[in-house]
Structures are given as C-alpha cells and as structure tokens.
Amino acid sequence: LGNEVWVGGANGALYYSNDQGAHWIPVSTGGWPKDATFTGITPTALRSVEVHLSNGERWRSADAGASWSRYQ
C-alpha cells in the first residue's frame, strides 16, 4: 500500500517497510504464539494491517505494528 510493504513467515517472523523494502523493521509479537506462521497479511490503510495465522487467529494493527489487537 503506497510505499509500505509487510512480509511474514514462520516462527512469528513479521517485518514492515515504509520505503518500498529498502529498509525493514522487525515487528514484535502482538501476543500471538512465538512459533506462529503467517498465512495472510492484508494492508488496510497506511500503517494499518490485518494478519492471519495458521492456528486461525487474526490480529490487526493501526500503528505500523507498534500495538496489536486480536479479533474474530
């Protein structure tokens, strides 16, 4: 979305870039398990994202991953 890029994978790895991937910021866990695998990442607005985990949990952030809330 714009210059923002989100990428995630296994073992809770989630990264954010606000410069088209030139620099990456590791995103700390929002409360999901440390061994979580991301199965979906959906940017919803600038600095906002929803992530889906393989265990069925869904989380969202509106501040580039600084804070998270779980939703169903």
Side-chain angles (χ1 to χ4, degrees):
L1 190 63
N3 290 332
E4 296 183 329
V5 182
W6 292 85
V7 64
N11 297 318
L14 183 64
Y15 295 88
Y16 167 76
S17 173
N18 60 10
D19 58 8
Q20 296 182 353
H23 301 92
W24 292 95
I25 301 164
V27 178
S28 61
T29 181
W32 52 77
K34 297 225 183 261
D35 63 350
T37 298
F38 294 92
T39 58
I41 301 173
T42 306
T44 56
L46 291 178
R47 301 177 43 88
S48 298
V49 67
E50 296 178 357
V51 297
H52 302 247
L53 307 180
S54 60
N55 67 1
E57 292 181 7
R58 296 177 180 186
W59 293 80
R60 61 174 58 140
S61 174
D63 55 11
S67 63
W68 293 88
S69 60
R70 186 175 172 188
Y71 72 101
Q72 296 294 329

